[in-house]
Amino acid sequence: IRYTYSVMGQEYTGDRVAFGAQNTNQGPAREVLSRYPLDKAVMVYYDTDHPGQAVLEQVSTSGWIQILIGVLLVFAGFYLAMR
């Protein structure tokens, strides 16, 4: 997916749907493409400090990975504290 958007008269091009890991499997990719048909106006969410960084969806696609890493770090901390 590639989209263009304008901030304060400056035009930008984006290709990121959401933050997190990018899924290249055909099933999920087709489902995302179906939400954004060609030439449809959509809402773009951009970083006000860095307008060139934008996404179409304000969700993280890797939330479970972040949780797993957090749990592993907690267990590692307990292990190291007990040694």
Side-chain angles (χ1 to χ4, degrees), residues 13-76:
T13 300
D15 61 2
R16 192 161 212 170
V17 175
F19 294 113
Q22 296 183 1
N23 192 337
T24 57
N25 293 332
Q26 286 186 359
R30 284 190 184 127
E31 194 271 324
V32 169
L33 284 172
S34 72
R35 292 196 305 263
Y36 302 103
L38 190 61
D39 295 328
K40 177 183 177 190
V42 296
M43 180 69 70
V44 175
Y45 301 95
Y46 64 89
D47 183 337
T48 55
D49 293 330
H50 306 284
Q53 297 178 6
V55 293
L56 296 177
E57 299 174 358
Q58 292 181 305
V59 296
S60 173
T61 56
S62 63
W64 66 271
I65 292 173
Q66 295 165 348
I67 291 170
L68 178 62
I69 290 171
V71 169
L72 290 174
L73 288 173
V74 167
F75 280 118

Side-chain angles (χ1 to χ4, degrees), residues 74-83:
V74 167
F75 280 118
F78 281 129
Y79 173 77
L80 292 173
M82 300 301 274
R83 285 181 61 182

